[in-house]
Amino acid sequence: LVLPEDYLFFMNWSNGLYVFGLDILGIGNERSDLIENINWEQKKSNNLLPKHIIPFSPVGNGDFYCFDIKDGLKDGVCPVIYWQWDYSSPNDYEYLADSFVDWLAITMNEMIEEEE
C-alpha cells in the first residue's frame, strides 16, 4: 500500500484524529483503522472504490476524503479528493488539494471559521 509521506508523518504524531466531526483514520487504530476501511471499501462494499483511491477520512453516507494514487507519489505526496459514493467514478470526482497537509490546513481553517 502506497501512502503519502505527509500522512505517514501525521500518523507517527497522532495515529488518527477526531475533531469537530472530522475523523482521520489511523493505522492499526482500534476505533478507526485505515487498512480495515480500505479492505471494506475496495473489496466488500456495495460501491467498490478503485484500487488507486485510498479512503482516509469518512464523511458519512459512504462519502470519503481520499488519496488519489493513480499517478503515484510525486515528491512523496499525492492529491486529496472527495469521493461521493453515489456520484463519483474512477475518473470523475472532486479534487480538493495537492497534498494531505494542504487538505488538512484548508479543512481545519474552514472548521475554525464555522465555529467562530
Side-chain angles (χ1 to χ4, degrees):
L1 177 64
V2 175
L3 295 170
E5 292 174 11
D6 52 355
Y7 171 78
L8 292 173
F9 181 82
F10 184 79
M11 288 301 102
N12 282 324
W13 174 75
S14 79
N15 196 26
L17 175 72
Y18 187 82
V19 62
F20 298 130
L22 175 68
D23 190 8
I24 299 175
L25 304 176
I27 299 172
N29 186 316
E30 285 184 30
R31 186 184 63 76
S32 57
D33 182 56
L34 177 78
I35 305 304
E36 287 179 18
N37 192 60
I38 291 169
N39 284 333
W40 172 260
E41 295 300 331
Q42 291 183 347
K43 297 176 183 173
K44 300 175 185 175
S45 74
N46 290 333
N47 188 21
L48 300 178
L49 286 172
K51 298 288 184 201
H52 67 275
I53 304 292
I54 308 297
F56 69 87
S57 179
V59 178
N61 299 325
D63 297 353
F64 288 91
Y65 295 116
C66 303
F67 299 121
D68 179 4
I69 60 170
K70 174 178 50 188
D71 297 326
L73 300 180
K74 293 188 171 108
D75 296 324
V77 299
C78 64
V80 172
I81 63 164
Y82 183 79
W83 180 268
Q84 202 170 355
W85 78 270
D86 60 346
Y87 176 76
S88 299
S89 70
N91 298 312
D92 185 25
Y93 43 76
E94 184 180 354
Y95 174 89
L96 299 175
D98 290 335
S99 69
F100 173 75
V101 168
D102 289 346
W103 169 82
L104 186 59
I106 292 166
T107 302
M108 295 306 287
N109 283 331
E110 288 173 354
M111 292 178 159
I112 290 168
E113 287 175 6
E114 288 176 9
E115 290 294 316
E116 291 178 346

